[in-house]
Amino acid sequence: MDIELANWSPVDFGALSEGTSFASGPATTDLWLLDLSGDGQNISRLKKLLSETEKARARNYRFREHRHRFILRRAFQRMILSAYVGVTPHQLAYGMDHPEKPVLADYPALQFSAANSGQTGLLCVSHSPVGVDLEQAAEQPALNLVAQDNFTRSEQKRLAGLSGAEWLAAFTRLWTQKEAILKLLGTGLSMSPLELTVADDETSATWTDTERGVDCWDLGTFEAGDKLIATLASTSKPDGIRYFRPGGPS
């Protein structure tokens, strides 16, 4: 999957909030890159789009910055998804398909997956199972141990010949690739990343345990910003990918 940041196009976010339809073809996957900085956004207005449960979760955040980011990503998600199904944002109701895979309760055929890191969010919308992950390539304690616990021998070999910033970027790519698949499956980290093997070219992954069958996932990994790495995982390669950055008034 070829994903280039240059392909992303701005969309009037204000139009989406007014109920504008945003349909896509059955074989098309849409990626939305979200600005969660809060610059120019009316947080109080956006908060009104959230459910009572979401508002309660927002209040649990100790720091204002984190609370505002939660409100922004949930409000933006509602605005975008509502444009696909033709309802107002606050009318959307969520359910759970798997323990960690939310779905639209009244529109289960429309699949979506969301991720965020710092001031950037990513939302994927599709008509087939998808998962996305977004991570900052940043130094953290004991990343070598994390790699040993979560990456297969072949994956660790790929890291062994690298050092410094190259090692960190390769580690982050692998992590987002595995996490995107786990989000697609809806298992989260209740399933070990060791059960998945990412191909050397990083465009696909399979079960490590062959007894599970021949399931294979397509992967598209790209830079979503400075040292910010994202991966889209899907059950089959999309016929087309559309890329959007919300823009305009909200």
Side-chain angles (χ1 to χ4, degrees), residues 137 143 147 151 155-178 198 202 221 223 229 231:
L143 285 184
F151 297 161
E155 292 163 349
Q156 291 184 49
K157 280 185 177 180
R158 299 208 296 271
L159 294 178
L162 305 174
S163 61
E166 287 187 343
W167 187 95
L168 184 59
F171 169 92
T172 308
R173 288 198 305 271
L174 270 172
W175 183 265
T176 64
Q177 289 155 2
K178 294 202 172 195
V198 176
E202 299 186 352
T221 302
E223 293 186 5
I229 297 175
T231 292

Side-chain angles (χ1 to χ4, degrees), residues 130-197:
V130 289
V132 292
D133 191 44
L134 183 67
E135 303 286 347
Q136 190 82 33
E139 288 287 356
Q140 299 180 44
L143 285 184
N144 280 310
L145 295 178
V146 174
Q148 292 174 23
D149 291 340
N150 294 278
F151 297 161
T152 64
R153 289 183 179 179
S154 63
E155 292 163 349
Q156 291 184 49
K157 280 185 177 180
R158 299 208 296 271
L159 294 178
L162 305 174
S163 61
E166 287 187 343
W167 187 95
L168 184 59
F171 169 92
T172 308
R173 288 198 305 271
L174 270 172
W175 183 265
T176 64
Q177 289 155 2
K178 294 202 172 195
E179 180 69 9
I181 296 171
L182 296 180
K183 291 174 73 171
L184 181 157
L185 296 172
T187 64
L189 292 177
S190 63
M191 175 180 171
S192 171
L194 285 171
E195 295 188 53
L196 303 169
T197 296

Side-chain angles (χ1 to χ4, degrees), residues 64-78:
R64 180 183 180 186
E65 179 183 15
H66 297 162
R67 182 167 62 252
H68 283 183
R69 286 181 189 173
F70 175 83
I71 292 170
L72 285 165
R73 66 177 183 262
R74 284 307 184 99
F76 290 169
Q77 180 173 294
R78 283 181 171 273

